[in-house]
Amino acid sequence: MSADRPAIRRLPLDEAALRRYAADLWLPYNRDLADAVAAHDLADWPEERFVERHVAFARDRLEEAGSRGWVAATAGDGTDDAGVDPATADVTDPALDLVGLLMTSVDECPDPFDRPDRLVIGEIYVAEPFRGTGLAERFVERAVADARDHGCEQLRLDVDVDNERAVAFYERIGFEDYRKQMTMAVDPG
């Protein structure tokens, strides 16, 4: 693996790894999403509160059968990083830069319906310096492998219509519309 090509690897469920993932990937992902889509504005909380809340949420979700978390890592830019292998180093190693995330889960078809099980891409994020490098495509390939592992015949994801870059990417790689999700404001009365 070349030094500049991120390694994609499973996200461990230990506290330190989940904290690093939440601070270095989940929070930047949601800040970027809030910049692109007004409906995703974040609360005015200190960073540590976001991390604490998300660590518990991520652990619960990843402990569910059929759920997996993946991170992309590279050796950092520091001079002491030369011997660090992003594919095997501990996710909490400060010599690693976490540059992307993928979260998947299985959506099993209920008995009365005739559709295949689907693997849901719940989150996919690539840090700005790695956009356009093929990392997002590699994450989708990873999701396809997860789908096969779980016997799923389809991938599914939700994307905000205002997130034009993401919509264009998903359409370019073969995703198609299958449902329209709608919202309506309710007066709190």
Side-chain angles (χ1 to χ4, degrees), residues 48-157:
E48 185 58 31
R49 185 171 179 191
F50 285 111
V51 170
E52 289 298 324
R53 291 282 179 96
H54 191 68
V55 165
F57 175 80
R59 180 182 301 106
D60 288 348
R61 186 171 59 175
L62 291 171
E63 287 176 343
E64 294 175 5
S67 293
R68 293 182 178 168
W70 302 90
V71 295
T74 63
D77 294 331
T79 56
D80 297 333
D81 304 339
V84 174
D85 181 355
T88 59
D90 190 301
V91 169
T92 62
D93 189 324
L96 288 184
D97 287 334
L98 300 184
V99 299
L101 73 93
L102 170 70
M103 296 295 199
T104 65
S105 61
V106 174
D107 173 21
E108 293 181 359
C109 179
D111 287 341
F113 299 101
D114 184 22
R115 72 153 170 87
D117 290 345
R118 298 175 178 139
L119 188 86
V120 177
I121 297 175
E123 296 173 357
I124 186 169
Y125 169 73
V126 174
E128 182 67 40
F130 290 87
R131 293 179 189 160
T133 66
L135 181 54
E137 287 92 341
R138 289 177 55 217
F139 273 139
V140 173
E141 290 168 7
R142 176 69 260 164
V144 167
D146 280 359
R148 288 183 182 126
D149 289 348
H150 291 294
C152 296
E153 296 178 30
Q154 292 180 340
L155 290 182
R156 183 181 69 79
L157 57 79

